[in-house]
Coordinates of all heavy atoms in Angstrom, one line a residue:
M1 N 3.5 2.8 -20.4 CA 4.2 1.9 -19.6 C 3.5 0.5 -19.6 O 2.3 0.5 -19.4 CB 4.2 2.4 -18.1 CG 5.0 1.6 -17.2 SD 5.2 2.5 -15.6 CE 5.9 1.2 -14.6
K2 N 4.3 -0.5 -19.8 CA 3.7 -1.9 -19.8 C 4.0 -2.7 -18.5 O 5.0 -2.5 -17.9 CB 4.3 -2.7 -21.0 CG 4.1 -2.1 -22.4 CD 2.8 -2.6 -22.9 CE 2.6 -2.1 -24.4 NZ 1.2 -2.1 -24.8
C3 N 3.0 -3.5 -18.2 CA 3.2 -4.4 -17.0 C 4.4 -5.4 -17.2 O 4.4 -6.0 -18.2 CB 1.9 -5.1 -16.7 SG 2.0 -6.3 -15.4
Y4 N 5.3 -5.5 -16.2 CA 6.4 -6.4 -16.4 C 6.0 -7.8 -16.2 O 6.7 -8.8 -16.6 CB 7.5 -6.0 -15.4 CG 7.2 -6.3 -13.9 CD1 7.6 -7.5 -13.3 CD2 6.5 -5.4 -13.2 CE1 7.3 -7.8 -12.0 CE2 6.2 -5.6 -11.8 CZ 6.6 -6.8 -11.3 OH 6.3 -7.1 -10.0
L5 N 4.7 -8.1 -15.7 CA 4.3 -9.5 -15.5 C 3.5 -10.0 -16.7 O 3.8 -11.1 -17.2 CB 3.3 -9.6 -14.3 CG 4.0 -9.5 -12.9 CD1 2.9 -9.6 -11.8 CD2 5.0 -10.6 -12.7
C6 N 2.6 -9.1 -17.2 CA 1.7 -9.6 -18.3 C 1.7 -8.8 -19.5 O 1.0 -9.0 -20.5 CB 0.3 -9.8 -17.8 SG -0.6 -8.2 -17.6
S7 N 2.5 -7.7 -19.5 CA 2.6 -6.8 -20.7 C 1.3 -6.0 -20.9 O 1.1 -5.4 -22.0 CB 3.0 -7.5 -22.0 OG 4.3 -8.0 -21.8
G8 N 0.4 -6.0 -19.9 CA -0.9 -5.2 -20.0 C -0.5 -3.7 -19.9 O 0.6 -3.3 -19.5
E9 N -1.5 -2.9 -20.2 CA -1.3 -1.4 -20.1 C -1.4 -1.0 -18.6 O -2.3 -1.5 -17.9 CB -2.4 -0.7 -20.9 CG -2.2 -0.6 -22.3 CD -0.9 0.2 -22.7 OE1 -0.6 1.1 -22.0 OE2 -0.2 -0.2 -23.6
M10 N -0.6 -0.1 -18.2 CA -0.6 0.4 -16.8 C -1.1 1.8 -16.8 O -0.8 2.6 -17.6 CB 0.8 0.3 -16.2 CG 1.3 -1.2 -16.1 SD 2.7 -1.4 -15.0 CE 1.8 -1.8 -13.5
K11 N -2.0 2.1 -15.8 CA -2.7 3.4 -15.7 C -2.4 4.0 -14.4 O -2.3 3.3 -13.4 CB -4.2 3.2 -15.8 CG -4.9 4.1 -16.8 CD -6.3 3.8 -17.0 CE -7.2 4.0 -15.8 NZ -8.6 3.6 -16.0
K12 N -2.2 5.3 -14.3 CA -2.0 6.0 -13.0 C -3.2 6.0 -12.2 O -4.3 6.4 -12.7 CB -1.4 7.4 -13.3 CG -0.9 8.0 -12.0 CD -0.1 9.3 -12.3 CE 0.5 9.7 -10.9 NZ 1.2 11.0 -11.0
E13 N -3.1 5.6 -10.9 CA -4.3 5.6 -10.0 C -3.8 5.9 -8.6 O -2.6 5.7 -8.3 CB -4.9 4.2 -10.0 CG -5.9 3.9 -11.1 CD -6.5 2.5 -11.0 OE1 -6.8 2.1 -9.9 OE2 -6.7 1.9 -12.0
M14 N -4.8 6.3 -7.8 CA -4.5 6.5 -6.4 C -5.0 5.2 -5.7 O -6.2 4.9 -5.9 CB -5.2 7.7 -5.8 CG -4.8 9.0 -6.5 SD -3.0 9.3 -6.4 CE -3.1 10.6 -5.1
V15 N -4.2 4.6 -4.9 CA -4.6 3.3 -4.3 C -4.4 3.3 -2.8 O -3.7 4.1 -2.3 CB -3.8 2.1 -4.9 CG1 -4.0 2.0 -6.4 CG2 -2.3 2.2 -4.6
T16 N -5.1 2.4 -2.1 CA -4.9 2.1 -0.7 C -4.1 0.9 -0.5 O -4.5 -0.2 -1.1 CB -6.2 2.0 0.0 OG1 -6.9 3.3 -0.1 CG2 -6.0 1.7 1.5
I17 N -3.0 0.9 0.2 CA -2.2 -0.4 0.3 C -2.0 -0.7 1.8 O -2.1 0.2 2.7 CB -0.9 -0.3 -0.4 CG1 0.1 0.7 0.2 CG2 -1.1 0.0 -1.9 CD1 1.5 0.3 -0.1
T18 N -1.6 -1.9 2.0 CA -1.3 -2.4 3.4 C 0.2 -2.7 3.5 O 0.7 -3.3 2.6 CB -2.1 -3.8 3.6 OG1 -3.4 -3.6 3.2 CG2 -2.0 -4.1 5.1
R19 N 0.8 -2.2 4.5 CA 2.2 -2.5 4.7 C 2.3 -3.0 6.2 O 1.5 -2.7 7.0 CB 3.1 -1.2 4.6 CG 3.0 -0.5 3.3 CD 3.9 -1.2 2.2 NE 5.3 -1.3 2.6 CZ 6.3 -0.5 2.2 NH1 6.0 0.6 1.5 NH2 7.5 -0.7 2.5
Y20 N 3.4 -3.8 6.4 CA 3.6 -4.3 7.7 C 5.0 -3.8 8.2 O 6.0 -3.9 7.4 CB 3.6 -5.8 7.7 CG 3.8 -6.5 9.0 CD1 2.7 -6.6 9.9 CD2 5.0 -7.0 9.4 CE1 2.9 -7.2 11.2 CE2 5.2 -7.7 10.6 CZ 4.1 -7.7 11.5 OH 4.3 -8.3 12.7
R21 N 5.1 -3.2 9.4 CA 6.4 -2.7 9.8 C 6.4 -2.8 11.4 O 5.6 -2.3 12.0 CB 6.5 -1.3 9.4 CG 7.6 -0.4 10.0 CD 9.0 -0.7 9.6 NE 9.1 -0.5 8.1 CZ 9.7 0.6 7.6 NH1 10.2 1.5 8.4 NH2 9.8 0.7 6.3
K22 N 7.5 -3.5 11.9 CA 7.7 -3.6 13.3 C 6.5 -3.9 14.1 O 6.1 -3.2 15.1 CB 8.3 -2.3 13.8 CG 9.7 -2.0 13.3 CD 10.3 -0.6 13.7 CE 11.6 -0.3 13.0 NZ 11.9 1.1 13.1
G23 N 5.8 -4.9 13.7 CA 4.6 -5.4 14.5 C 3.3 -4.7 14.3 O 2.3 -5.0 14.9
N24 N 3.3 -3.7 13.4 CA 2.0 -3.0 13.1 C 1.7 -3.2 11.6 O 2.6 -3.1 10.7 CB 2.1 -1.5 13.4 CG 2.0 -1.3 14.9 OD1 1.1 -1.8 15.5 ND2 2.9 -0.5 15.4
Y25 N 0.4 -3.3 11.3 CA 0.0 -3.1 9.9 C -0.4 -1.7 9.7 O -1.0 -1.0 10.6 CB -1.2 -4.0 9.6 CG -0.9 -5.5 9.4 CD1 -1.0 -6.4 10.5 CD2 -0.4 -5.9 8.2 CE1 -0.6 -7.7 10.3 CE2 0.0 -7.2 8.0 CZ -0.1 -8.1 9.1 OH 0.2 -9.4 8.9
Y26 N -0.1 -1.2 8.6 CA -0.5 0.2 8.2 C -1.4 0.2 6.9 O -1.0 -0.6 6.0 CB 0.7 1.0 7.9 CG 1.6 1.3 9.1 CD1 2.5 0.3 9.5 CD2 1.5 2.5 9.8 CE1 3.3 0.6 10.6 CE2 2.3 2.7 10.9 CZ 3.2 1.8 11.3 OH 4.0 2.0 12.3
L27 N -2.5 0.9 7.0 CA -3.2 1.2 5.7 C -2.8 2.5 5.3 O -2.9 3.5 6.0 CB -4.7 1.2 6.0 CG -5.6 0.0 6.0 CD1 -7.0 0.3 6.1 CD2 -5.4 -0.8 4.7
I28 N -2.3 2.6 4.1 CA -1.8 3.9 3.6 C -2.7 4.3 2.4 O -2.8 3.5 1.4 CB -0.3 3.9 3.2 CG1 0.5 3.3 4.3 CG2 0.1 5.3 2.7 CD1 2.0 3.2 4.1
E29 N -3.4 5.4 2.5 CA -4.4 5.8 1.5 C -3.9 6.8 0.5 O -2.9 7.5 0.8 CB -5.6 6.4 2.2 CG -6.3 5.4 3.1 CD -7.5 6.1 3.9 OE1 -7.4 7.3 4.3 OE2 -8.6 5.4 3.9
D30 N -4.5 6.8 -0.6 CA -4.2 7.8 -1.7 C -2.7 7.8 -2.1 O -2.0 8.8 -2.2 CB -4.5 9.2 -1.2 CG -6.0 9.3 -0.9 OD1 -6.8 8.6 -1.6 OD2 -6.4 10.0 0.0
V31 N -2.2 6.5 -2.3 CA -0.8 6.4 -2.8 C -0.8 6.4 -4.3 O -1.5 5.6 -4.9 CB -0.2 5.1 -2.3 CG1 1.3 5.0 -2.7 CG2 -0.3 5.0 -0.8
P32 N 0.0 7.3 -5.0 CA 0.0 7.2 -6.4 C 0.7 6.0 -6.9 O 1.8 5.6 -6.4 CB 0.8 8.5 -6.8 CG 1.6 8.8 -5.6 CD 0.9 8.3 -4.4
A33 N 0.1 5.3 -7.8 CA 0.7 4.0 -8.3 C 0.4 3.9 -9.8 O -0.6 4.5 -10.3 CB 0.1 2.8 -7.6
M34 N 1.1 3.0 -10.5 CA 0.8 2.6 -11.8 C 0.1 1.2 -11.6 O 0.7 0.3 -11.0 CB 2.0 2.5 -12.7 CG 2.7 3.8 -13.0 SD 1.7 5.0 -13.8 CE 1.7 4.4 -15.4
V35 N -1.1 1.0 -12.1 CA -1.8 -0.2 -11.9 C -2.1 -0.9 -13.3 O -2.6 -0.2 -14.2 CB -3.2 0.1 -11.2 CG1 -3.9 -1.3 -10.9 CG2 -2.9 0.8 -9.9
C36 N -1.8 -2.2 -13.4 CA -2.1 -2.9 -14.6 C -3.6 -3.1 -14.8 O -4.2 -3.6 -13.9 CB -1.3 -4.2 -14.6 SG -1.6 -5.3 -16.0
E37 N -4.1 -2.7 -16.0 CA -5.5 -2.9 -16.3 C -5.8 -4.4 -16.5 O -7.0 -4.8 -16.4 CB -5.9 -2.1 -17.5 CG -5.8 -0.6 -17.3 CD -6.2 0.1 -18.6 OE1 -5.8 -0.3 -19.7 OE2 -6.9 1.2 -18.4
Q38 N -4.8 -5.2 -16.7 CA -5.1 -6.6 -17.0 C -5.0 -7.5 -15.8 O -5.9 -8.2 -15.5 CB -4.1 -7.1 -18.1 CG -4.5 -8.3 -18.8 CD -3.7 -8.4 -20.2 OE1 -4.1 -7.8 -21.2 NE2 -2.6 -9.1 -20.2
C39 N -3.9 -7.4 -15.0 CA -3.7 -8.3 -13.9 C -3.7 -7.6 -12.6 O -3.7 -8.3 -11.5 CB -2.4 -9.1 -14.1 SG -0.9 -8.2 -13.7
G40 N -3.8 -6.3 -12.5 CA -3.9 -5.6 -11.2 C -2.6 -5.3 -10.5 O -2.6 -4.8 -9.4
E41 N -1.5 -5.7 -11.1 CA -0.2 -5.5 -10.5 C 0.0 -4.0 -10.3 O -0.3 -3.2 -11.1 CB 0.9 -6.1 -11.4 CG 2.3 -5.8 -10.9 CD 2.7 -6.6 -9.7 OE1 1.9 -7.5 -9.3 OE2 3.8 -6.3 -9.1
K42 N 0.6 -3.7 -9.1 CA 0.8 -2.2 -8.8 C 2.3 -2.0 -8.8 O 3.1 -2.7 -8.3 CB 0.3 -1.9 -7.4 CG -1.2 -2.0 -7.3 CD -1.7 -1.7 -5.9 CE -3.2 -1.9 -5.7 NZ -3.5 -3.4 -5.6
W43 N 2.7 -0.8 -9.4 CA 4.1 -0.4 -9.4 C 4.1 1.0 -8.7 O 3.4 1.9 -9.1 CB 4.6 -0.3 -10.8 CG 6.0 0.0 -10.9 CD1 7.1 -0.8 -10.8 CD2 6.6 1.4 -11.0 NE1 8.3 -0.1 -10.9 CE2 8.0 1.3 -11.0 CE3 6.0 2.6 -11.1 CZ2 8.8 2.4 -11.1 CZ3 6.8 3.7 -11.2 CH2 8.2 3.6 -11.2
F44 N 5.1 1.1 -7.8 CA 5.3 2.4 -7.1 C 6.6 3.0 -7.4 O 7.6 2.3 -7.5 CB 5.2 2.2 -5.5 CG 3.9 1.6 -5.1 CD1 3.8 0.2 -4.9 CD2 2.8 2.4 -4.9 CE1 2.6 -0.3 -4.5 CE2 1.6 1.9 -4.6 CZ 1.5 0.5 -4.3
S45 N 6.6 4.3 -7.5 CA 7.9 5.0 -7.8 C 8.8 4.9 -6.5 O 8.3 4.7 -5.4 CB 7.6 6.5 -8.1 OG 7.1 7.2 -7.0
M46 N 10.1 5.1 -6.7 CA 11.0 5.1 -5.6 C 10.6 6.1 -4.6 O 10.7 5.9 -3.4 CB 12.4 5.3 -6.1 CG 13.5 5.1 -5.0 SD 13.4 3.5 -4.2 CE 14.0 2.4 -5.5
S47 N 10.2 7.3 -5.0 CA 9.9 8.4 -4.1 C 8.6 8.0 -3.3 O 8.5 8.3 -2.1 CB 9.7 9.7 -4.8 OG 8.6 9.7 -5.7
A48 N 7.6 7.3 -3.9 CA 6.4 6.9 -3.2 C 6.8 5.8 -2.1 O 6.3 5.9 -1.0 CB 5.4 6.3 -4.1
V49 N 7.7 4.9 -2.5 CA 8.2 3.9 -1.5 C 8.9 4.6 -0.3 O 8.6 4.2 0.8 CB 9.1 2.9 -2.2 CG1 9.7 1.9 -1.2 CG2 8.3 2.1 -3.3
M50 N 9.7 5.5 -0.6 CA 10.4 6.2 0.5 C 9.5 7.0 1.4 O 9.6 7.0 2.6 CB 11.5 7.2 -0.1 CG 12.7 6.4 -0.6 SD 13.8 7.4 -1.6 CE 14.3 8.6 -0.4
K51 N 8.5 7.7 0.8 CA 7.5 8.4 1.5 C 6.7 7.5 2.5 O 6.5 7.8 3.6 CB 6.6 9.2 0.6 CG 5.4 9.9 1.2 CD 5.7 11.3 1.5 CE 4.7 12.0 2.4 NZ 3.6 12.7 1.6
M52 N 6.3 6.3 1.9 CA 5.6 5.3 2.8 C 6.5 4.9 3.9 O 6.0 4.7 5.1 CB 5.2 4.1 1.9 CG 4.0 4.5 1.0 SD 3.3 3.0 0.2 CE 4.4 2.8 -1.2
D53 N 7.8 4.6 3.7 CA 8.7 4.2 4.7 C 8.8 5.3 5.8 O 8.7 5.0 7.0 CB 10.1 3.9 4.2 CG 10.1 2.6 3.4 OD1 9.2 1.8 3.6 OD2 11.1 2.4 2.7
Q54 N 8.8 6.5 5.4 CA 8.9 7.6 6.3 C 7.6 7.8 7.2 O 7.7 8.0 8.4 CB 9.2 9.0 5.6 CG 10.6 9.1 5.0 CD 10.7 10.3 4.0 OE1 9.7 11.0 3.9 NE2 11.8 10.3 3.3
L55 N 6.5 7.6 6.5 CA 5.2 7.7 7.2 C 5.1 6.7 8.4 O 4.5 7.0 9.4 CB 4.0 7.5 6.2 CG 3.7 8.7 5.3 CD1 2.6 8.2 4.3 CD2 3.2 9.8 6.1
M56 N 5.7 5.5 8.1 CA 5.5 4.5 9.2 C 6.4 4.7 10.4 O 6.4 4.0 11.4 CB 5.8 3.1 8.5 CG 4.6 2.7 7.6 SD 4.8 1.1 6.9 CE 6.1 1.3 5.7
E57 N 7.3 5.7 10.3 CA 8.2 6.0 11.4 C 7.7 7.2 12.2 O 8.2 7.5 13.3 CB 9.6 6.4 10.8 CG 10.3 5.3 10.1 CD 10.7 4.1 10.9 OE1 10.8 4.3 12.1 OE2 10.8 3.0 10.4
K58 N 6.7 7.9 11.7 CA 6.3 9.2 12.3 C 5.0 8.9 13.1 O 4.2 8.1 12.7 CB 6.0 10.2 11.2 CG 7.2 10.7 10.5 CD 6.8 11.8 9.6 CE 7.9 12.3 8.7 NZ 7.4 13.1 7.5
P59 N 4.7 9.8 14.1 CA 3.4 9.7 14.8 C 2.3 10.2 13.9 O 2.5 10.9 12.9 CB 3.6 10.7 16.0 CG 4.8 11.5 15.7 CD 5.6 10.8 14.7
L60 N 1.1 9.7 14.2 CA -0.1 10.1 13.4 C -0.3 11.6 13.5 O -0.1 12.2 14.5 CB -1.3 9.4 13.9 CG -1.4 7.8 13.8 CD1 -2.8 7.4 14.1 CD2 -0.9 7.4 12.5
E61 N -0.8 12.1 12.4 CA -1.2 13.5 12.3 C -2.7 13.7 12.4 O -3.4 12.7 12.2 CB -0.6 14.1 11.0 CG 0.9 14.2 11.1 CD 1.5 14.8 9.9 OE1 0.8 15.3 9.0 OE2 2.7 14.8 9.8
P62 N -3.2 14.9 12.6 CA -4.7 15.1 12.6 C -5.3 14.6 11.3 O -4.7 14.8 10.3 CB -4.8 16.7 12.7 CG -3.5 17.1 13.4 CD -2.4 16.1 12.9
G63 N -6.4 13.9 11.5 CA -7.1 13.4 10.3 C -6.7 11.9 10.0 O -7.3 11.2 9.2
E64 N -5.6 11.4 10.7 CA -5.2 10.0 10.6 C -5.8 9.3 11.9 O -6.1 10.0 12.9 CB -3.7 9.9 10.5 CG -3.2 10.6 9.2 CD -1.7 10.5 9.1 OE1 -0.9 10.6 10.1 OE2 -1.2 10.3 8.0
K65 N -5.9 8.0 11.8 CA -6.5 7.3 12.9 C -6.1 5.8 13.0 O -5.5 5.3 12.1 CB -8.0 7.3 12.7 CG -8.5 6.6 11.5 CD -9.9 6.7 11.1 CE -10.2 6.1 9.8 NZ -11.6 6.4 9.3
Y66 N -6.4 5.2 14.2 CA -6.3 3.8 14.3 C -7.6 3.1 14.1 O -8.7 3.7 14.4 CB -5.9 3.5 15.8 CG -4.4 3.6 16.1 CD1 -3.9 4.8 16.5 CD2 -3.5 2.6 15.8 CE1 -2.5 5.0 16.7 CE2 -2.2 2.7 16.1 CZ -1.7 3.9 16.5 OH -0.3 4.0 16.8
I67 N -7.6 1.9 13.5 CA -8.8 1.2 13.3 C -8.5 -0.2 13.9 O -7.4 -0.7 14.0 CB -9.3 1.0 11.9 CG1 -8.2 0.4 11.0 CG2 -9.7 2.4 11.3 CD1 -8.8 0.0 9.6
N68 N -9.6 -0.9 14.3 CA -9.5 -2.3 14.7 C -9.9 -3.2 13.6 O -10.8 -2.9 12.9 CB -10.4 -2.6 15.9 CG -10.0 -1.9 17.2 OD1 -8.8 -1.9 17.5 ND2 -10.9 -1.2 17.8
V69 N -9.1 -4.3 13.4 CA -9.5 -5.2 12.4 C -9.7 -6.6 13.0 O -8.9 -7.0 13.9 CB -8.4 -5.3 11.2 CG1 -8.4 -3.9 10.5 CG2 -7.1 -5.7 11.8
P70 N -10.6 -7.4 12.5 CA -10.8 -8.8 13.0 C -9.6 -9.6 12.4 O -9.2 -9.5 11.3 CB -12.1 -9.2 12.4 CG -12.4 -8.3 11.3 CD -11.7 -7.0 11.5
V71 N -9.1 -10.5 13.3 CA -8.1 -11.5 12.9 C -8.7 -12.9 13.0 O -9.0 -13.3 14.1 CB -6.8 -11.3 13.7 CG1 -5.8 -12.4 13.3 CG2 -6.3 -9.9 13.6
R72 N -8.9 -13.6 11.9 CA -9.6 -14.8 11.9 C -8.6 -16.0 11.6 O -7.6 -15.8 11.0 CB -10.7 -14.9 10.8 CG -11.7 -13.8 10.9 CD -12.5 -13.8 12.3 NE -12.9 -15.1 12.6 CZ -14.1 -15.6 12.4 NH1 -15.0 -14.9 11.7 NH2 -14.5 -16.8 12.7
K73 N -8.9 -17.1 12.2 CA -8.2 -18.3 11.9 C -8.9 -19.1 10.8 O -10.1 -19.3 10.9 CB -8.0 -19.2 13.1 CG -7.1 -18.5 14.2 CD -6.2 -19.6 14.9 CE -5.4 -18.9 16.0 NZ -4.4 -18.0 15.6
F74 N -8.2 -19.5 9.8 CA -8.8 -20.1 8.6 C -9.6 -21.4 9.0 O -10.6 -21.7 8.5 CB -7.8 -20.4 7.5 CG -8.3 -20.9 6.3 CD1 -9.0 -20.1 5.4 CD2 -8.2 -22.3 6.0 CE1 -9.5 -20.6 4.2 CE2 -8.8 -22.8 4.8 CZ -9.4 -22.0 3.9
A75 N -9.0 -22.1 10.0 CA -9.6 -23.4 10.3 C -10.8 -23.3 11.2 O -11.5 -24.3 11.4 CB -8.5 -24.3 11.0
S76 N -11.1 -22.1 11.8 CA -12.2 -22.0 12.7 C -13.5 -21.8 11.9 O -13.5 -21.6 10.8 CB -12.0 -20.8 13.7 OG -12.0 -19.6 13.0
G77 N -14.6 -22.0 12.7 CA -15.9 -21.8 12.0 C -16.3 -23.0 11.2 O -17.0 -22.9 10.2
Ligands
ZN101 ZN1 -0.2 -7.1 -15.6

């Protein structure tokens, strides 16, 4: 499989991604993706996208957790 952006080779990897849904950010770990070795572009299968959408609608399960993240303003400091 070739990258649609740069035609680089794409390799299957498990990745962590950030999604935003209804006022919350979600970190979703161990998502299977095709990742471009050249530019880093990630491609997800339709079933992976649907699973991520479902996960964001369900309550957390044992082993999942909330974390706090700092929110910074670029102009400060
Ligand atoms: Zn690429």
Side-chain angles (χ1 to χ4, degrees):
M1 185 171 168
K2 298 272 186 204
C3 175
Y4 69 97
L5 286 179
C6 75
S7 299
E9 280 300 323
M10 300 196 88
K11 227 172 68 180
K12 191 167 184 185
E13 278 181 38
M14 302 298 258
V15 300
T16 298
I17 68 154
T18 313
R19 301 279 306 262
Y20 184 78
R21 164 77 59 102
K22 294 176 187 164
N24 284 310
Y25 283 97
Y26 293 82
L27 274 185
I28 308 179
E29 297 179 318
D30 301 326
V31 184
M34 298 299 286
V35 182
C36 177
E37 290 181 322
Q38 199 158 278
C39 76
E41 177 69 8
K42 296 180 186 71
W43 182 87
F44 300 99
S45 67
M46 187 55 72
S47 63
V49 171
M50 285 168 61
K51 175 93 190 269
M52 287 189 276
D53 286 345
Q54 288 166 8
L55 282 173
M56 289 184 287
E57 300 293 335
K58 291 182 187 166
L60 296 192
E61 291 183 6
E64 297 181 322
K65 64 188 175 191
Y66 278 91
I67 60 170
N68 291 314
V69 295
V71 179
R72 303 303 312 268
K73 294 217 186 289
F74 185 76
S76 66

